[in-house]
Amino acid sequence: MVLRSITPRYFLKRYYNFPQLIETTNQNDMTKILPVNSDSVQVAVKLLQKGDVIAIPTDTVYGLAADSRNCHSVQTLYDIKGRDFNKPIAICVGNVSDIPKWGNVNSLPSGLLEELLPGPVTVLLQRTNATSLKLNPGVDKVGVRIPDSSFVRDIVNQFGFAIALTSANLSNSSSTLDPNEFKELWIKLGAVFDGGTLSFSESSRAGSTIVDLTDTGKYKIIRNGNALKKTVSILEKFSLKEQK
């Protein structure tokens, strides 16, 4: 069965054999819109392994994800967004225990990361693995995300490696809370995983709070994001001082 040029979201939601649908649908004929469920996790992993860029709902906004080891996938991710290649992209991992593979956590107070994550926070750390990641060449810091989303974490854990993750929108435009808001990007994606409208509040578009933890005993807020107050409260609970 080949599905022709039909794009309404409800159409694909009527089907339950999602892996078969992915394999038999011609990507040039239509964009694949899939719901958020356990079957879709398997599809997402297969697409990432194939080198595709996919759209996924996070705990803040919709994101674009790609294999951080694959040069072609990373370049495609930048091209889809129209993003300056010199502008770093964060990685997403499934568990706090994965973070030391990519960032230096030796100077951080014990238990800090476990209180911050999973959640709407991106932590900036000194990069410890410069060879495996095919993104942000020459950048000595790495942004790490663990969204408070079992769907996203299941994808990363089953994929078995950090994924590149950035917001699903054209560069310098607003972050998106619903798949229809980045419809112009659909045709360039391996699939869009539709988690519905994530929020009806415009403030939700602020995305994750970004905090730099590379200076021992200090923190620096790089982007206020959605969780500024809670993040600062946790940082100060662990006696970190704000770096001006």
Side-chain angles (χ1 to χ4, degrees):
M1 176 182 69
V2 176
L3 302 180
R4 298 300 175 184
S5 300
I6 308 172
T7 57
R9 282 191 281 169
Y10 70 84
F11 190 84
L12 286 177
K13 289 184 177 181
R14 295 176 56 199
Y15 291 84
Y16 296 94
N17 192 353
F18 297 114
Q20 181 181 0
L21 182 61
I22 282 289
E23 292 169 2
T24 58
T25 299
N26 187 330
Q27 187 170 347
N28 294 324
D29 287 342
M30 69 176 298
T31 301
K32 294 171 285 293
I33 313 297
L34 300 174
V36 170
N37 60 27
S38 57
D39 290 321
S40 292
V41 169
Q42 301 299 322
V43 177
V45 170
K46 289 182 180 180
L47 290 171
L48 290 171
Q49 290 171 338
K50 196 175 76 170
D52 284 351
V53 176
I54 60 174
I56 54 178
T58 74
D59 55 352
T60 55
V61 298
Y62 273 84
L64 299 180
D67 183 352
S68 61
R69 300 167 296 184
N70 186 319
C71 293
H72 175 74
S73 298
V74 171
Q75 183 63 61
T76 300
L77 183 60
Y78 274 92
D79 290 345
I80 288 172
K81 284 183 62 75
R83 186 183 179 97
D84 183 347
F85 196 72
N86 293 315
K87 191 174 180 180
I89 285 179
I91 61 170
C92 174
V93 299
N95 304 286
V96 171
S97 59
D98 296 323
I99 295 178
K101 300 175 186 176
W102 315 111
N104 189 336
V105 301
N106 293 335
S107 64
L108 298 182
S110 177
L112 172 63
L113 292 178
E114 285 80 2
E115 287 218 25
L116 289 173
L117 302 166
V121 180
T122 299
V123 293
L124 279 180
L125 302 168
Q126 287 294 334
R127 187 167 170 167
T128 57
N129 193 327
T131 57
S132 296
L133 299 176
K134 302 304 180 184
L135 72 163
N136 311 334
V139 178
D140 62 357
K141 297 180 183 180
V142 61
V144 184
R145 273 276 271 142
I146 307 179
D148 188 11
S149 162
S150 58
F151 179 68
V152 175
R153 297 199 306 273
D154 285 347
I155 290 173
V156 180
N157 285 331
Q158 292 189 37
F159 183 62
F161 199 83
I163 61 173
L165 183 65
T166 184
S167 56
N169 56 279
L170 292 172
S171 189
N172 299 317
S173 62
S174 296
S175 298
T176 56
L177 301 173
D178 186 279
N180 283 311
E181 295 181 337
F182 58 93
K183 200 167 185 178
E184 71 275 17
L185 305 183
W186 286 8
I187 193 62
K188 302 176 183 179
L189 304 174
V192 175
F193 294 90
D194 185 356
T197 301
L198 303 182
S199 173
F200 293 98
S201 171
E202 285 299 305
S203 63
S204 298
R205 298 185 191 277
S208 64
T209 297
I210 302 177
V211 57
D212 189 328
L213 298 176
T214 57
D215 195 349
T216 301
K218 298 180 181 179
Y219 72 89
K220 183 175 183 180
I221 300 297
I222 306 300
R223 184 175 74 190
N224 288 350
N226 282 330
L228 177 63
K229 185 176 180 179
K230 181 177 180 180
T231 300
V232 169
S233 175
I234 292 172
L235 295 169
E236 293 183 348
K237 171 184 173 181
F238 284 85
S239 301
L240 270 66
K241 305 297 183 183
E242 183 176 10
Q243 179 183 353
K244 302 296 185 179

